[in-house]
Amino acid sequence: MIRQPVPENFPTDDYTERLFYIQAQSMHAVSYWRQVMNESVHKHVEEQYAELGIDVEAAIEQLKSVPLSLHCWQTDDVGGFEAPDSKLPGGGIQVTGNYPGKARTIAEMRQDLEKVTSLLPGRHRLSLHTIYGEFDGKSVERTEIGPEHFQGWIEWARSQGMSLDLNGTFFSHPNADDGFTLSHPDPGIREFWIEHGKRSREIAAVMGKTLGSPAILNTWIPDGAKDLPIDRLGYRERLRDSLDAMLAEKISKEYMKDAVETKLFGIGSESYVVGSHEFYMGYAQSRDTIICLDMGHFHPTESVADKLSSVYLFFDELLLHVSRPVRWDSDHVVIFNDDLADLTRELVRCGRIADTHIGLDFFDATMNRIGAYAIGARAVLKGLLAAMLEPTVLLRKYDREANAFARLALLEQARTLPFGTIWNRYCEETGVVGDSRLIADVLDYEKTVLNRR
Ligand code: RNT
Ligand code: ZN
Protein backbone atom coordinates (compact mmCIF):
# COMPACT_ATOMS: atom_id res chain seq x y z
CA MET A 1 0.00 0.00 0.00
CA ILE A 2 1.33 3.45 -0.87
CA ARG A 3 1.21 5.72 2.13
CA GLN A 4 0.01 9.21 1.38
CA PRO A 5 1.64 12.01 3.34
CA VAL A 6 -0.62 13.18 6.13
CA PRO A 7 -1.96 16.70 5.46
CA GLU A 8 -0.84 19.26 8.01
CA ASN A 9 -4.32 20.11 9.19
CA PHE A 10 -5.35 16.46 9.58
CA PRO A 11 -7.72 16.33 12.57
CA THR A 12 -6.05 13.78 14.80
CA ASP A 13 -3.03 11.51 15.33
CA ASP A 14 -5.18 8.60 16.42
CA TYR A 15 -5.11 5.84 13.78
CA THR A 16 -8.74 4.65 14.18
CA GLU A 17 -10.07 8.17 14.16
CA ARG A 18 -8.12 8.84 10.98
CA LEU A 19 -9.71 5.84 9.34
CA PHE A 20 -13.19 7.04 10.35
CA TYR A 21 -12.38 10.47 9.03
CA ILE A 22 -11.26 9.14 5.65
CA GLN A 23 -14.29 6.89 5.43
CA ALA A 24 -16.62 9.78 6.24
CA GLN A 25 -14.95 11.98 3.60
CA SER A 26 -15.31 9.36 0.89
CA MET A 27 -18.93 8.64 1.80
CA HIS A 28 -19.63 12.32 1.60
CA ALA A 29 -18.06 12.45 -1.87
CA VAL A 30 -20.11 9.47 -3.05
CA SER A 31 -23.37 10.95 -1.83
CA TYR A 32 -22.48 14.29 -3.39
CA TRP A 33 -21.89 12.65 -6.76
CA ARG A 34 -25.04 10.65 -6.44
CA GLN A 35 -26.96 13.87 -5.90
CA VAL A 36 -25.31 15.53 -8.90
CA MET A 37 -26.13 12.49 -11.05
CA ASN A 38 -29.72 12.40 -9.82
CA GLU A 39 -30.19 16.05 -10.56
CA SER A 40 -28.94 15.68 -14.09
CA VAL A 41 -31.07 12.57 -14.66
CA HIS A 42 -34.12 14.42 -13.37
CA LYS A 43 -33.35 17.38 -15.56
CA HIS A 44 -33.09 15.09 -18.54
CA VAL A 45 -36.39 13.42 -17.60
CA GLU A 46 -38.21 16.71 -17.20
CA GLU A 47 -36.83 17.91 -20.54
CA GLN A 48 -38.32 14.90 -22.27
CA TYR A 49 -41.74 15.83 -20.92
CA ALA A 50 -41.28 19.54 -21.57
CA GLU A 51 -40.57 18.81 -25.24
CA LEU A 52 -44.11 17.45 -25.42
CA GLY A 53 -45.56 20.45 -23.61
CA ILE A 54 -45.94 18.69 -20.25
CA ASP A 55 -45.17 20.40 -16.96
CA VAL A 56 -44.04 17.70 -14.52
CA GLU A 57 -44.21 19.92 -11.44
CA ALA A 58 -47.77 21.01 -12.27
CA ALA A 59 -48.81 17.36 -12.65
CA ILE A 60 -47.38 16.47 -9.25
CA GLU A 61 -49.11 19.43 -7.63
CA GLN A 62 -52.39 18.35 -9.19
CA LEU A 63 -51.97 14.77 -7.96
CA LYS A 64 -51.35 15.96 -4.41
CA SER A 65 -54.89 17.34 -4.26
CA VAL A 66 -56.65 14.09 -5.21
CA PRO A 67 -57.78 11.91 -2.29
CA LEU A 68 -58.47 8.20 -2.63
CA SER A 69 -61.16 6.67 -0.46
CA LEU A 70 -59.32 3.74 1.10
CA HIS A 71 -61.47 0.66 1.78
CA CYS A 72 -60.92 -0.52 5.34
CA TRP A 73 -62.02 -4.06 4.44
CA GLN A 74 -58.75 -5.11 2.76
CA THR A 75 -57.16 -5.40 6.22
CA ASP A 76 -59.53 -8.11 7.53
CA ASP A 77 -61.15 -9.84 4.54
CA VAL A 78 -64.48 -7.98 4.95
CA GLY A 79 -64.95 -9.57 8.39
CA GLY A 80 -66.01 -6.63 10.55
CA PHE A 81 -66.38 -6.42 14.31
CA GLU A 82 -69.99 -7.32 14.94
CA ALA A 83 -69.14 -10.36 17.03
CA PRO A 84 -66.04 -10.73 19.22
CA ASP A 85 -64.55 -13.04 16.57
CA SER A 86 -65.18 -11.69 13.11
CA LYS A 87 -66.99 -14.14 10.89
CA LEU A 88 -66.41 -15.23 7.34
CA PRO A 89 -68.19 -12.86 5.00
CA GLY A 90 -71.23 -14.17 3.16
CA GLY A 91 -74.25 -13.13 1.16
CA GLY A 92 -72.57 -12.26 -2.09
CA ILE A 93 -69.06 -11.50 -0.81
CA GLN A 94 -66.35 -14.14 -1.13
CA VAL A 95 -62.78 -13.80 0.01
CA THR A 96 -60.23 -16.55 -0.60
CA GLY A 97 -57.00 -17.24 1.27
CA ASN A 98 -55.87 -17.27 4.87
CA TYR A 99 -52.51 -15.53 4.82
CA PRO A 100 -51.41 -14.77 8.40
CA GLY A 101 -51.58 -11.28 9.88
CA LYS A 102 -55.23 -10.34 9.41
CA ALA A 103 -56.41 -7.45 11.61
CA ARG A 104 -58.50 -8.99 14.41
CA THR A 105 -59.40 -5.87 16.36
CA ILE A 106 -60.10 -2.23 15.65
CA ALA A 107 -56.73 -1.35 17.17
CA GLU A 108 -54.94 -3.72 14.77
CA MET A 109 -56.95 -2.38 11.87
CA ARG A 110 -55.99 1.20 12.71
CA GLN A 111 -52.36 0.17 13.04
CA ASP A 112 -52.55 -1.38 9.55
CA LEU A 113 -54.31 1.65 8.11
CA GLU A 114 -51.63 3.91 9.51
CA LYS A 115 -49.02 1.69 7.89
CA VAL A 116 -50.83 1.80 4.56
CA THR A 117 -51.20 5.58 4.58
CA SER A 118 -47.48 5.87 5.38
CA LEU A 119 -46.87 4.06 2.08
CA LEU A 120 -49.00 6.48 0.06
CA PRO A 121 -48.09 9.96 -1.04
CA GLY A 122 -50.93 12.47 -0.56
CA ARG A 123 -53.88 12.78 1.85
CA HIS A 124 -56.65 10.24 1.67
CA ARG A 125 -60.06 9.31 3.04
CA LEU A 126 -61.19 6.14 4.75
CA SER A 127 -64.23 4.17 3.69
CA LEU A 128 -65.86 2.09 6.44
CA HIS A 129 -68.66 -0.46 6.42
CA THR A 130 -71.27 -0.42 9.18
CA ILE A 131 -69.99 -3.82 10.45
CA TYR A 132 -66.82 -2.00 11.56
CA GLY A 133 -68.49 -0.06 14.37
CA GLU A 134 -67.16 -0.18 17.92
CA PHE A 135 -69.68 -2.54 19.47
CA ASP A 136 -67.59 -3.39 22.57
CA GLY A 137 -68.19 -7.09 22.20
CA LYS A 138 -71.97 -6.67 22.34
CA SER A 139 -74.13 -7.93 19.56
CA VAL A 140 -75.80 -4.89 18.03
CA GLU A 141 -78.41 -5.58 15.36
CA ARG A 142 -78.05 -3.81 12.00
CA THR A 143 -81.26 -1.94 12.76
CA GLU A 144 -79.85 -0.73 16.08
CA ILE A 145 -76.52 0.71 14.99
CA GLY A 146 -76.02 4.44 15.32
CA PRO A 147 -73.46 7.24 15.27
CA GLU A 148 -72.39 6.35 18.82
CA HIS A 149 -70.72 3.20 17.42
CA PHE A 150 -68.56 5.32 15.12
CA GLN A 151 -67.46 8.02 17.54
CA GLY A 152 -64.07 6.33 18.00
CA TRP A 153 -63.55 6.14 14.25
CA ILE A 154 -64.44 9.82 13.88
CA GLU A 155 -61.89 10.76 16.54
CA TRP A 156 -59.24 8.50 15.05
CA ALA A 157 -59.92 9.90 11.56
CA ARG A 158 -59.58 13.43 12.90
CA SER A 159 -56.25 12.54 14.51
CA GLN A 160 -55.08 11.25 11.13
CA GLY A 161 -56.32 14.29 9.21
CA MET A 162 -58.67 12.00 7.27
CA SER A 163 -62.35 12.25 6.34
CA LEU A 164 -64.71 9.28 6.32
CA ASP A 165 -67.04 7.56 3.88
CA LEU A 166 -69.43 4.73 4.68
CA ASN A 167 -71.19 1.69 3.26
CA GLY A 168 -74.30 0.06 4.69
CA THR A 169 -73.69 -3.67 5.12
CA PHE A 170 -76.42 -5.66 3.39
CA PHE A 171 -74.59 -9.01 3.51
CA SER A 172 -73.05 -11.44 6.04
CA HIS A 173 -76.37 -11.61 7.87
CA PRO A 174 -79.14 -14.23 8.23
CA ASN A 175 -81.62 -11.81 6.63
CA ALA A 176 -79.49 -11.83 3.47
CA ASP A 177 -78.81 -15.55 3.35
CA ASP A 178 -81.32 -16.37 0.60
CA GLY A 179 -79.81 -13.76 -1.69
CA PHE A 180 -82.34 -10.92 -1.36
CA THR A 181 -82.54 -7.86 0.90
CA LEU A 182 -84.26 -4.63 -0.19
CA SER A 183 -86.08 -6.46 -3.00
CA HIS A 184 -87.11 -9.44 -0.86
CA PRO A 185 -90.69 -10.68 -1.39
CA ASP A 186 -91.16 -10.70 2.42
CA PRO A 187 -92.12 -7.16 3.57
CA GLY A 188 -90.64 -7.83 7.04
CA ILE A 189 -87.20 -8.49 5.56
CA ARG A 190 -87.47 -5.44 3.34
CA GLU A 191 -88.40 -3.32 6.37
CA PHE A 192 -85.36 -4.62 8.25
CA TRP A 193 -82.98 -3.56 5.48
CA ILE A 194 -84.74 -0.23 4.90
CA GLU A 195 -84.16 0.55 8.57
CA HIS A 196 -80.51 -0.48 8.23
CA GLY A 197 -80.17 1.88 5.28
CA LYS A 198 -81.70 4.74 7.26
CA ARG A 199 -79.33 4.11 10.16
CA SER A 200 -76.38 4.07 7.78
CA ARG A 201 -77.42 7.44 6.36
CA GLU A 202 -77.66 8.90 9.84
CA ILE A 203 -74.17 7.67 10.74
CA ALA A 204 -72.74 9.02 7.48
CA ALA A 205 -74.32 12.42 8.15
CA VAL A 206 -72.70 12.61 11.58
CA MET A 207 -69.33 11.61 10.12
CA GLY A 208 -69.55 14.29 7.45
CA LYS A 209 -70.85 16.98 9.75
CA THR A 210 -68.25 16.34 12.45
CA LEU A 211 -65.31 16.09 10.09
CA GLY A 212 -66.41 18.95 7.83
CA SER A 213 -66.46 16.96 4.59
CA PRO A 214 -69.54 15.15 3.24
CA ALA A 215 -69.38 11.39 3.71
CA ILE A 216 -70.33 9.35 0.65
CA LEU A 217 -72.72 6.60 1.71
CA ASN A 218 -72.56 3.84 -0.86
CA THR A 219 -75.33 1.26 -1.03
CA TRP A 220 -74.56 -2.08 -2.59
CA ILE A 221 -76.94 -4.97 -2.10
CA PRO A 222 -76.32 -8.58 -3.14
CA ASP A 223 -79.86 -9.16 -4.45
CA GLY A 224 -79.87 -11.55 -7.35
CA ALA A 225 -80.45 -15.12 -8.48
CA LYS A 226 -78.20 -17.98 -9.51
CA ASP A 227 -80.90 -19.36 -11.76
CA LEU A 228 -83.75 -17.99 -13.77
CA PRO A 229 -86.31 -15.86 -11.89
CA ILE A 230 -89.60 -15.25 -13.65
CA ASP A 231 -90.71 -12.01 -12.04
CA ARG A 232 -87.70 -9.85 -12.87
CA LEU A 233 -89.88 -6.78 -12.86
CA GLY A 234 -91.35 -7.48 -9.42
CA TYR A 235 -87.97 -7.57 -7.69
CA ARG A 236 -86.96 -4.33 -9.36
CA GLU A 237 -90.20 -2.61 -8.41
CA ARG A 238 -89.66 -3.62 -4.80
CA LEU A 239 -86.04 -2.44 -4.87
CA ARG A 240 -87.13 0.94 -6.25
CA ASP A 241 -89.74 1.34 -3.54
CA SER A 242 -87.45 0.19 -0.72
CA LEU A 243 -84.74 2.61 -1.81
CA ASP A 244 -87.33 5.39 -1.96
CA ALA A 245 -88.36 4.63 1.62
CA MET A 246 -84.73 4.46 2.73
CA LEU A 247 -83.87 7.80 1.12
CA ALA A 248 -87.10 9.59 2.04
CA GLU A 249 -85.53 11.78 4.69
CA LYS A 250 -83.76 14.74 3.14
CA ILE A 251 -80.27 15.17 4.54
CA SER A 252 -78.05 18.09 3.59
CA LYS A 253 -75.43 17.22 0.98
CA GLU A 254 -73.00 19.17 3.10
CA TYR A 255 -73.08 16.23 5.49
CA MET A 256 -73.62 13.14 3.39
CA LYS A 257 -74.32 12.08 -0.17
CA ASP A 258 -76.01 8.88 -1.30
CA ALA A 259 -74.51 6.62 -3.94
CA VAL A 260 -75.90 3.39 -5.42
CA GLU A 261 -73.67 0.66 -6.87
CA THR A 262 -74.55 -1.23 -10.05
CA LYS A 263 -73.61 -4.80 -10.93
CA LEU A 264 -74.01 -7.18 -13.84
CA PHE A 265 -73.55 -10.52 -12.08
CA GLY A 266 -71.84 -12.06 -9.09
CA ILE A 267 -71.03 -15.42 -7.56
CA GLY A 268 -74.47 -16.85 -6.79
CA SER A 269 -76.22 -14.19 -8.86
CA GLU A 270 -75.10 -15.27 -12.31
CA SER A 271 -78.52 -15.15 -13.97
CA TYR A 272 -80.01 -12.02 -12.52
CA VAL A 273 -78.94 -9.00 -10.44
CA VAL A 274 -81.80 -6.80 -9.31
CA GLY A 275 -79.67 -3.64 -9.06
CA SER A 276 -78.32 -3.82 -12.60
CA HIS A 277 -76.54 -0.99 -14.40
CA GLU A 278 -79.71 0.06 -16.22
CA PHE A 279 -81.74 -0.07 -13.01
CA TYR A 280 -79.38 2.22 -11.15
CA MET A 281 -78.72 4.58 -14.06
CA GLY A 282 -82.44 5.26 -14.09
CA TYR A 283 -82.78 5.27 -10.33
CA ALA A 284 -79.83 7.57 -9.62
CA GLN A 285 -80.80 9.94 -12.40
CA SER A 286 -84.41 10.27 -11.27
CA ARG A 287 -83.62 10.44 -7.52
CA ASP A 288 -80.56 12.69 -7.73
CA THR A 289 -78.10 10.29 -6.13
CA ILE A 290 -74.56 9.48 -7.17
CA ILE A 291 -73.98 6.35 -9.23
CA CYS A 292 -71.14 3.99 -8.28
CA LEU A 293 -69.31 2.16 -11.04
CA ASP A 294 -67.24 -0.77 -9.79
CA MET A 295 -64.65 -1.87 -12.35
CA GLY A 296 -65.37 -5.50 -11.48
CA HIS A 297 -69.11 -5.26 -12.10
CA PHE A 298 -69.33 -5.42 -15.86
CA HIS A 299 -68.80 -7.90 -18.62
CA PRO A 300 -65.06 -8.58 -18.94
CA THR A 301 -64.91 -7.06 -22.42
CA GLU A 302 -66.73 -3.86 -21.45
CA SER A 303 -64.60 -0.77 -20.89
CA VAL A 304 -65.54 1.04 -17.69
CA ALA A 305 -63.33 3.91 -18.86
CA ASP A 306 -65.60 4.43 -21.85
CA LYS A 307 -68.64 4.84 -19.59
CA LEU A 308 -67.26 7.91 -17.84
CA SER A 309 -67.84 10.45 -20.58
CA SER A 310 -71.50 9.41 -20.78
CA VAL A 311 -72.05 9.39 -17.02
CA TYR A 312 -70.37 12.79 -16.60
CA LEU A 313 -72.82 14.31 -19.09
CA PHE A 314 -75.83 13.42 -16.98
CA PHE A 315 -74.49 13.33 -13.42
CA ASP A 316 -72.71 16.01 -11.43
CA GLU A 317 -70.68 13.47 -9.46
CA LEU A 318 -69.48 9.91 -9.76
CA LEU A 319 -68.25 7.27 -7.33
CA LEU A 320 -65.75 4.72 -8.59
CA HIS A 321 -64.86 1.40 -7.04
CA VAL A 322 -61.46 0.71 -8.47
CA SER A 323 -61.11 -3.05 -8.65
CA ARG A 324 -59.68 -5.71 -10.96
CA PRO A 325 -61.90 -8.35 -12.48
CA VAL A 326 -60.38 -11.67 -13.52
CA ARG A 327 -62.67 -13.85 -15.68
CA TRP A 328 -65.92 -14.20 -13.68
CA ASP A 329 -64.71 -12.74 -10.42
CA SER A 330 -63.93 -9.20 -9.33
CA ASP A 331 -61.96 -7.72 -6.44
CA HIS A 332 -58.43 -8.86 -7.31
CA VAL A 333 -55.63 -6.56 -6.13
CA VAL A 334 -55.57 -3.52 -8.38
CA ILE A 335 -52.46 -3.17 -10.52
CA PHE A 336 -51.26 -0.52 -12.94
CA ASN A 337 -52.61 -2.27 -16.02
CA ASP A 338 -54.23 -0.97 -19.20
CA ASP A 339 -57.75 -0.97 -17.73
CA LEU A 340 -56.64 1.23 -14.88
CA ALA A 341 -54.57 3.51 -17.11
CA ASP A 342 -57.56 3.89 -19.47
CA LEU A 343 -59.80 4.79 -16.54
CA THR A 344 -57.50 7.39 -15.02
CA ARG A 345 -56.80 8.88 -18.44
CA GLU A 346 -60.54 9.38 -18.97
CA LEU A 347 -60.84 11.02 -15.55
CA VAL A 348 -58.14 13.50 -16.48
CA ARG A 349 -59.16 14.01 -20.10
CA CYS A 350 -62.77 14.74 -19.12
CA GLY A 351 -61.49 17.25 -16.55
CA ARG A 352 -63.82 15.83 -13.91
CA ILE A 353 -61.47 14.60 -11.20
CA ALA A 354 -62.92 17.04 -8.69
CA ASP A 355 -66.39 15.54 -9.23
CA THR A 356 -65.21 11.96 -8.89
CA HIS A 357 -64.90 10.05 -5.65
CA ILE A 358 -62.22 7.45 -6.18
CA GLY A 359 -62.94 4.52 -3.91
CA LEU A 360 -60.93 1.31 -3.81
CA ASP A 361 -62.63 -2.07 -3.66
CA PHE A 362 -60.58 -5.24 -3.62
CA PHE A 363 -59.82 -7.94 -1.09
CA ASP A 364 -57.29 -10.71 -1.26
CA ALA A 365 -56.34 -12.92 1.66
CA THR A 366 -53.78 -15.02 -0.21
CA MET A 367 -50.89 -12.60 0.30
CA ASN A 368 -49.61 -9.99 2.73
CA ARG A 369 -52.72 -7.81 3.00
CA ILE A 370 -50.85 -4.58 3.68
CA GLY A 371 -48.57 -5.17 0.72
CA ALA A 372 -51.60 -5.90 -1.46
CA TYR A 373 -53.31 -2.77 -0.17
CA ALA A 374 -50.24 -0.64 -0.93
CA ILE A 375 -49.82 -2.10 -4.41
CA GLY A 376 -53.44 -1.35 -5.28
CA ALA A 377 -53.60 2.14 -3.84
CA ARG A 378 -50.22 3.11 -5.30
CA ALA A 379 -51.33 1.74 -8.68
CA VAL A 380 -54.29 4.13 -8.71
CA LEU A 381 -52.02 7.06 -7.85
CA LYS A 382 -49.61 5.95 -10.57
CA GLY A 383 -52.48 5.81 -13.02
CA LEU A 384 -53.52 9.33 -12.11
CA LEU A 385 -49.98 10.66 -12.36
CA ALA A 386 -49.42 8.95 -15.70
CA ALA A 387 -52.66 10.49 -16.97
CA MET A 388 -51.65 13.92 -15.74
CA LEU A 389 -48.35 13.53 -17.60
CA GLU A 390 -50.03 12.73 -20.89
CA PRO A 391 -49.33 15.09 -23.81
CA THR A 392 -53.05 15.85 -23.97
CA VAL A 393 -52.80 19.20 -25.75
CA LEU A 394 -50.84 17.75 -28.64
CA LEU A 395 -53.01 14.63 -28.75
CA ARG A 396 -56.14 16.77 -28.93
CA LYS A 397 -54.63 18.75 -31.81
CA TYR A 398 -54.03 15.54 -33.81
CA ASP A 399 -57.52 14.44 -32.85
CA ARG A 400 -59.04 17.63 -34.23
CA GLU A 401 -56.99 17.34 -37.39
CA ALA A 402 -58.16 13.72 -37.74
CA ASN A 403 -54.52 12.67 -38.00
CA ALA A 404 -54.97 9.13 -36.75
CA PHE A 405 -51.37 8.14 -37.45
CA ALA A 406 -49.81 11.04 -35.51
CA ARG A 407 -52.23 10.52 -32.63
CA LEU A 408 -51.36 6.83 -32.36
CA ALA A 409 -47.65 7.46 -32.76
CA LEU A 410 -47.68 10.02 -29.96
CA LEU A 411 -49.62 7.67 -27.70
CA GLU A 412 -46.94 5.06 -28.37
CA GLN A 413 -44.16 7.55 -27.67
CA ALA A 414 -45.82 8.53 -24.40
CA ARG A 415 -45.87 4.91 -23.24
CA THR A 416 -42.09 4.76 -22.93
CA LEU A 417 -41.48 8.14 -21.32
CA PRO A 418 -39.55 7.73 -18.03
CA PHE A 419 -42.64 7.82 -15.86
CA GLY A 420 -41.17 5.58 -13.14
CA THR A 421 -38.45 8.11 -12.32
CA ILE A 422 -41.05 10.79 -11.66
CA TRP A 423 -43.26 8.50 -9.60
CA ASN A 424 -40.35 7.40 -7.40
CA ARG A 425 -39.12 10.93 -6.98
CA TYR A 426 -42.60 12.07 -5.95
CA CYS A 427 -42.75 9.27 -3.36
CA GLU A 428 -39.34 10.07 -1.93
CA GLU A 429 -39.94 13.80 -1.80
CA THR A 430 -43.11 13.23 0.20
CA GLY A 431 -41.33 10.90 2.62
CA VAL A 432 -42.79 7.70 1.19
CA VAL A 433 -40.77 4.71 -0.03
CA GLY A 434 -40.19 4.47 -3.77
CA ASP A 435 -41.05 1.21 -5.54
CA SER A 436 -37.57 -0.25 -5.06
CA ARG A 437 -37.93 -0.05 -1.27
CA LEU A 438 -41.55 -1.15 -0.99
CA ILE A 439 -40.91 -4.90 -0.74
CA ALA A 440 -38.35 -4.61 2.06
CA ASP A 441 -40.54 -2.15 3.93
CA VAL A 442 -43.65 -4.32 3.79
CA LEU A 443 -41.72 -7.49 4.68
CA ASP A 444 -40.29 -5.71 7.69
CA TYR A 445 -43.83 -4.83 8.84
CA GLU A 446 -44.78 -8.46 8.31
CA LYS A 447 -41.91 -9.63 10.49
CA THR A 448 -42.26 -7.09 13.25
CA VAL A 449 -46.05 -6.66 13.40
CA LEU A 450 -48.19 -9.03 11.33
CA ASN A 451 -46.40 -12.28 12.22
CA ARG A 452 -46.76 -11.52 15.92
CA ARG A 453 -50.55 -11.48 15.76
C1 RNT B 1 -69.67 -6.11 -4.07
C2 RNT B 1 -69.50 -4.65 -4.15
C3 RNT B 1 -69.28 -3.93 -2.86
C4 RNT B 1 -68.38 -4.64 -1.89
C5 RNT B 1 -67.97 -3.85 -0.68
C6 RNT B 1 -67.36 -4.69 0.39
O1 RNT B 1 -69.76 -6.72 -5.28
O2 RNT B 1 -68.45 -4.35 -5.02
O3 RNT B 1 -68.84 -2.63 -3.10
O4 RNT B 1 -67.24 -5.12 -2.52
O5 RNT B 1 -69.03 -3.12 -0.21
ZN1 ZN C 1 -67.73 -2.34 -5.13
Side-chain angles (χ1 to χ4, degrees), residues 138-420:
K138 296 186 200 79
S139 89
V140 178
E141 193 41 280
R142 302 265 173 103
T143 49
E144 300 294 327
I145 53 162
E148 65 276 19
H149 301 117
F150 290 85
Q151 219 42 57
W153 276 113
I154 292 174
E155 277 154 34
W156 178 83
R158 200 203 300 276
S159 77
Q160 301 294 307
M162 290 179 107
S163 298
L164 294 173
D165 296 314
L166 187 65
N167 302 261
T169 313
F170 294 79
F171 51 82
S172 304
H173 190 282
N175 281 355
D177 275 353
D178 65 0
F180 293 96
T181 63
L182 290 174
S183 72
H184 205 286
D186 179 341
I189 295 199
R190 291 204 300 280
E191 265 317 309
F192 175 89
W193 290 113
I194 290 169
E195 183 58 26
H196 177 64
K198 289 180 177 170
R199 299 275 173 145
S200 305
R201 295 183 80 224
E202 191 190 333
I203 299 166
V206 172
M207 287 173 165
K209 189 174 180 185
T210 320
L211 293 169
S213 169
I216 307 300
L217 175 73
N218 181 47
T219 298
W220 172 76
I221 57 164
D223 298 33
K226 184 182 176 79
D227 229 322
L228 303 165
I230 303 306
D231 189 12
R232 289 173 180 255
L233 181 62
Y235 283 104
R236 291 189 169 132
E237 277 171 346
R238 288 191 293 273
L239 177 55
R240 178 197 58 197
D241 296 345
S242 295
L243 287 168
D244 282 350
M246 188 179 120
L247 303 179
E249 193 192 333
K250 286 274 159 277
I251 304 181
S252 165
K253 288 190 183 180
E254 270 180 53
Y255 303 151
M256 64 85 62
K257 295 178 183 176
D258 290 287
V260 284
E261 182 173 355
T262 83
K263 191 162 182 168
L264 176 64
F265 73 96
I267 297 172
S269 60
E270 290 82 357
S271 300
Y272 172 67
V273 168
V274 187
S276 61
H277 189 54
E278 294 70 20
F279 175 91
Y280 278 125
M281 282 291 280
Y283 189 85
Q285 183 60 232
S286 57
R287 268 64 172 179
D288 188 27
T289 77
I290 297 173
I291 192 152
C292 170
L293 302 185
D294 183 310
M295 288 176 79
H297 287 191
F298 295 89
H299 188 279
T301 62
E302 268 182 283
S303 160
V304 179
D306 179 53
K307 298 178 190 302
L308 266 49
S309 47
S310 299
V311 170
Y312 285 142
L313 278 186
F314 302 106
F315 289 89
D316 293 336
E317 291 175 67
L318 167 68
L319 171 62
L320 289 172
H321 268 188
V322 186
S323 191
R324 177 164 58 104
V326 175
R327 300 192 189 279
W328 65 84
D329 196 10
S330 66
D331 303 313
H332 288 245
V333 179
V334 167
I335 51 174
F336 183 27
N337 60 7
D338 281 352
D339 287 344
L340 177 63
D342 287 345
L343 184 89
T344 48
R345 267 197 292 262
E346 270 308 298
L347 274 171
V348 173
R349 287 177 186 170
C350 292
R352 295 288 293 271
I353 288 195
D355 306 324
T356 309
H357 309 277
I358 308 173
L360 308 184
D361 188 12
F362 54 84
F363 26 96
D364 189 338
T366 63
M367 66 176 98
N368 181 309
R369 292 172 185 76
I370 305 312
Y373 209 156
I375 289 172
R378 288 165 68 104
V380 182
L381 296 173
K382 280 181 195 170
L384 288 166
L385 181 59
M388 289 162 182
L389 290 169
E390 182 185 70
T392 316
V393 176
L394 204 47
L395 283 167
R396 279 192 204 284
K397 177 174 166 285
Y398 293 141
D399 217 16
R400 272 195 312 275
E401 293 167 356
N403 191 340
F405 154 70
R407 189 180 59 197
L408 196 57
L410 183 53
L411 284 170
E412 283 294 282
Q413 186 185 346
R415 271 179 189 271
T416 55
L417 286 173
F419 166 72

